[in-house]
Amino acid sequence: MSKQFDVIVIGGGPGGYIAAIRAAQLGFNVACVDEWKNARGGPALGGTCTNVGCIPSKALLQSSENFDQAGHHFADHGIEIKGLAMDVAKMLGRKDAVVKQNNDGILYLFKKNKVTFFHGRGTFVKASDAGYEINVAGSTPDTLVGKHIIVATGSNARALPGAPFDEEMILSNDGALRVGAVPQKLGLIGSGVIGLEMGSVWRRLGSEVTVLEALPTFLGAVDEQIAREAKKAFDKQGLKIELGVKVGEIKTGKKGVSVAWTNARGEAQLLEVDKLIVSIGRVPNTIGLGAEAVGLKLDERGAIVVDDDCKTSLPNVWAVGDVVRGPMLAHKAEEEGVAVAERIAGQHGHVNFNTVPWVIYTSPEIAWVGQTEQQLKSAGRAYKAGTFPFLANGRARALGDTTGMVKFLADAATDEILGVHIVGPQASELISEAVVAMEFRASSEDIARICHAHPSLSEATKEAALAVDKRTLNF
Ligand code: FAD
Ligand code: NAI
């Protein structure tokens, strides 16, 4: 006997579990099917983000940052530490505990919101008048029928051809978060978000880190001025980033991994490392979904084809998050999940892609929202720019972290904020003000006229807004 639901969500990552909760809040009878297993084979809700993405990476970034601070910066405050050491096993144990708190938190939220959870793989079987039949294979096997289906099956790490992940020597994000001892030499392919975050973790703990990046420019999607500033800081820290490279043969042996590569001048090179992290992007995941059984349309990358409202090629089947077009970010997945649940309820759910913030949690942090200067130039849009360095911010001096700046880009005629770019301390938190401002279509003068607490890093945001009109007060 099949179980009937108004809404079945396949995938319990940030896109799926949030969609399930919102749909339940709106009065629907909701099921969520997720197959992720923890080390004991039990459920581990939260998807990539909670298990091998956002949450564990930020836990390791925090631990390694604390170690770096204690080793290199506490002395400036008069704090002397003798015999400083890193217990990697304890750091990993703490990370696992943080992950578990989040897994359990989602189970609790499902109970609280009366979402029925099925642990296993959800596969489309067929469409009928009652809805779509979904087979659940796993620890709670079942047959479900849903009037509406929301697919939120996420993404997987992309491997380099000829160098599959073994998670011992050649690591995806999964293995990169489980390295049991600090590698003496660590290689990374791809200086994108994962490359920089994971490279930072292990460099802070003592690894000699080399990052090989195919593109000739560093962080091509980031505002050029901000990317230059970040690169200067990473160079100073000793993160070795090679741009414009061509990666050749990768071999694993007993002692480590060797990577043949060609530098930007066309010279053949060999990189020998203990571990290699490959972080060259991610691919949408529809493995085992049974898309073909119901004729769900995928594009050439394997992503589920959706329109602006996350509607797929099939009636009442929706898809959100990493498995569809757009940035692969947890908060984008969540926003789409909420919007779809509201659309199913006949409401007008909406996601503004122009105000989705990006954050790279390195030190300095990099965060931005809206358009970069190079995008405005190529669109021929007349704009004004204003920057303010953290060097001139009292709170940053007191913190002992004056790297970087805040940069505003505003329309030349209307002064509407078009983009805000930050490299520096707490950029991840500071960017929220810019997101709110852009969502309300504020002008740079609006931010410049708002009272900001003193001393705070947010004063750099106000000053950068003032700089658009060339009237900074503290620089
Ligand atoms: P996922 O989180 O991938 O969840 C999909 C879920 O569906 C998984 O649990 C999977 O097991 C399950 N599933 C798949 N197929 C089936 C099936 N047929 N049946 C049942 N279950 C199925 N984003 C940020 O915004 N901030 C960050 O700081 C950040 N850090 C990251 C760090 C790393 C190392 C990585 C790899 C990613 C990071 N991301 C970050 C990206 C973020 O993790 C993803 O954008 C986000 O998880 C996408 O959510 P989702 O719900 O679409 O998919
Ligand atoms: P990415 O797209 O950020 O970066 C991949 C990099 O690899 C690019 O710079 C690309 O030019 C390079 N590359 C591709 N092929 C290559 C090759 N053959 N040789 C050398 N370099 C090559 O992808 P990444 O870092 O794997 O992360 C995947 C996604 O996960 C991110 O795009 C982001 O959406 C998400 N993520 C978000 C985080 C955050 O929000 N803080 C943190 C980590 C991941």
Side-chain angles (χ1 to χ4, degrees):
M1 206 24 208
S2 62
K3 293 178 179 148
Q4 179 80 40
F5 291 91
D6 299 324
V7 179
I8 299 173
V9 183
I10 305 178
Y17 90 77
I18 288 290
I21 290 173
R22 184 71 188 119
Q25 283 176 348
L26 290 163
F28 293 112
N29 178 20
V30 182
C32 180
V33 187
D34 186 83
E35 66 178 345
W36 204 291
K37 288 187 187 134
N38 61 25
R40 293 164 303 284
L45 277 162
T48 301
C49 166
T50 303
N51 292 296
V52 291
C54 324
I55 301 299
S57 62
K58 267 78 252 180
L60 295 190
L61 278 156
Q62 189 59 51
S63 298
S64 59
E65 177 66 12
N66 291 349
F67 182 70
D68 192 63
Q69 286 287 329
H72 298 105
H73 305 288
F74 276 15
D76 299 341
H77 298 262
I79 305 168
E80 297 289 343
I81 298 183
K82 293 204 172 70
L84 181 71
M86 188 71 207
D87 182 340
V88 173
K90 195 157 182 185
M91 174 182 80
L92 296 182
R94 175 186 175 274
K95 179 249 326 175
D96 292 341
V98 172
V99 167
K100 186 166 183 308
Q101 282 167 5
N102 284 272
N103 296 143
D104 294 349
I106 300 168
L107 266 180
Y108 160 78
L109 290 172
F110 275 3
K111 283 202 187 93
K112 182 182 161 202
N113 288 283
K114 301 190 175 50
V115 173
T116 311
F117 172 54
F118 294 87
H119 188 213
R121 172 167 289 181
T123 305
F124 279 102
V125 180
K126 62 175 195 252
S128 68
D129 289 346
Y132 293 88
E133 187 177 312
I134 305 293
N135 178 59
V136 181
S139 57
T140 49
D142 233 314
T143 303
L144 319 177
V145 174
K147 239 190 272 171
H148 286 266
I149 309 293
I150 304 175
V151 181
T153 46
S155 63
N156 291 319
R158 186 154 77 87
L160 270 173
F165 298 118
D166 59 21
E167 304 298 3
E168 280 298 322
M169 298 281 199
I170 302 181
L171 315 175
S172 70
N173 56 293
D174 186 0
L177 293 159
R178 290 190 278 113
V179 178
V182 179
Q184 209 188 339
K185 289 186 174 187
L186 175 70
L188 288 109
I189 314 273
S191 74
V193 198
I194 295 180
L196 292 174
E197 291 188 356
M198 287 296 103
S200 294
V201 166
W202 296 106
R203 181 205 57 77
R204 290 168 188 165
L205 299 181
S207 293
E208 191 185 307
V209 178
T210 306
V211 191
L212 302 179
E213 165 61 46
L215 291 179
T217 44
F218 179 62
L219 285 178
V222 175
D223 185 273
E224 275 168 14
Q225 190 178 5
I226 297 293
R228 264 198 311 276
E229 196 70 16
K231 178 80 169 38
K232 257 197 284 176
F234 297 141
D235 287 346
K236 209 165 134 196
Q237 292 164 6
L239 201 61
K240 203 167 161 209
I241 302 168
E242 299 281 352
L243 299 173
V245 315
K246 200 165 172 329
V247 173
E249 196 181 10
I250 298 178
K251 285 194 213 151
T252 51
K254 278 210 182 95
K255 288 210 176 126
V257 188
S258 72
V259 182
W261 60 285
T262 313
N263 68 16
R265 292 178 298 284
E267 295 154 353
Q269 309 282 327
L270 190 69
L271 175 70
E272 293 189 307
V273 289
D274 304 308
K275 306 262 180 200
L276 181 73
I277 299 174
V278 177
S279 48
I280 56 167
R282 299 180 61 80
V283 285
N285 171 34
T286 53
I287 300 165
L289 179 64
E292 59 296 334
V294 284
L296 182 64
K297 204 168 152 195
L298 310 182
D299 69 13
E300 62 289 346
R301 290 183 318 129
I304 296 176
V305 176
V306 288
D307 67 7
D308 289 349
D309 289 346
C310 292
K311 280 188 184 140
T312 68
S313 57
L314 298 174
N316 298 342
V317 178
W318 312 72
V320 301
D322 281 12
V323 77
V324 304
R325 54 49 204 134
M328 289 185 169
L329 295 173
H331 42 284
K332 174 264 192 185
E334 291 183 14
E335 292 303 312
E336 286 182 334
V338 168
V340 163
E342 292 178 351
R343 283 173 198 137
I344 292 172
Q347 299 182 1
H348 301 280
H350 176 66
V351 181
N352 182 358
F353 282 95
N354 195 37
T355 54
V356 173
W358 275 85
V359 178
I360 307 178
Y361 294 81
T362 44
S363 179
E365 291 185 343
I366 305 164
W368 72 97
V369 58
Q371 302 192 63
T372 61
E373 200 164 348
Q374 58 268 27
Q375 281 172 327
L376 294 175
K377 273 187 190 146
S378 68
R381 180 106 183 230
Y383 66 92
K384 301 176 283 183
T387 58
F388 188 81
F390 284 108
L391 199 63
N393 174 274
R395 184 74 194 279
R397 289 189 196 128
L399 284 173
D401 189 355
T402 54
T403 316
M405 67 175 87
V406 180
K407 173 172 180 173
F408 265 65
L409 297 167
D411 185 272
T414 66
D415 195 36
E416 180 177 352
I417 302 167
L418 303 175
V420 177
H421 306 268
I422 308 174
V423 54
Q426 299 291 328
S428 55
E429 300 296 334
L430 293 174
I431 200 65
S432 293
E433 181 181 4
V435 176
V436 173
M438 285 186 64
E439 197 60 54
F440 284 93
R441 301 197 61 183
S443 64
S444 71
E445 189 180 352
D446 288 328
I447 298 300
R449 288 191 179 277
I450 290 172
C451 180
H452 287 65
H454 175 78
S456 71
L457 296 170
S458 71
E459 288 172 292
T461 305
K462 177 189 170 101
E463 289 275 3
L466 280 165
V468 171
D469 202 26
K470 298 193 171 40
R471 55 190 184 96
T472 52
L473 297 165
N474 284 287
F475 189 61

